Amino acid sequence: QVQLVETGGGLVQAGGSLRLSCAASGFSFGNYAMGWFRQAPGQERKFVAGISWIGVGPAYGAFVKGRFTISRDNTQNTLFLQMNRLNAEDTAIYYCAAYQGPGIEGSPRHWGQGTQVTVSS
């Protein structure tokens, strides 16, 4: 059974940092691209960042503007998202997702339950 469990969310002041983690199990983590998405109240889920199976060529949403870094540890089956210079617009539920293959292509096929990130201004 595939499981993606996000941790690391919370309340942070504007300008602060958070590091999200996603522990994966139930599939061959190292063979698949992974991504982070977010959904704010009343908005559609948006792509935040994606990383290929071996970690090259990460992709980011336009709003990231160099503030976030996605990474992965295939030995620990864990995905990370380091978020710096957070602002109120970053407030959302952040979801970890597993893509259908080694590249960041198409729609993810597995999703975590999400972790809440709240940035106070």
Side-chain angles (χ1 to χ4, degrees), residues 25-47:
S25 61
F27 67 108
S28 298
F29 177 80
N31 291 343
Y32 292 91
M34 298 293 295
W36 289 97
F37 292 73
R38 75 185 190 186
Q39 187 167 20
Q43 297 185 21
E44 294 185 350
R45 192 172 295 186
K46 294 181 179 179
F47 172 79

Side-chain angles (χ1 to χ4, degrees), residues 28-115:
S28 298
F29 177 80
N31 291 343
Y32 292 91
M34 298 293 295
W36 289 97
F37 292 73
R38 75 185 190 186
Q39 187 167 20
Q43 297 185 21
E44 294 185 350
R45 192 172 295 186
K46 294 181 179 179
F47 172 79
V48 176
I51 188 167
S52 69
W53 66 298
I54 54 173
V56 298
Y60 297 94
F63 58 84
V64 169
K65 298 180 181 179
R67 300 178 298 131
F68 299 175
T69 302
I70 188 172
S71 61
R72 64 189 299 162
D73 183 343
N74 288 346
T75 67
Q76 298 294 324
N77 291 352
T78 304
L79 178 72
F80 304 99
L81 184 68
Q82 177 67 43
M83 303 188 294
N84 300 324
R85 304 198 310 275
L86 287 160
N87 57 59
E89 288 71 35
D90 295 316
T91 295
I93 299 174
Y94 284 71
Y95 297 91
C96 170
Y99 282 87
Q100 301 182 44
I104 309 167
E105 299 172 341
S107 298
R109 65 174 183 173
H110 298 296
W111 296 88
Q113 292 300 306
T115 184

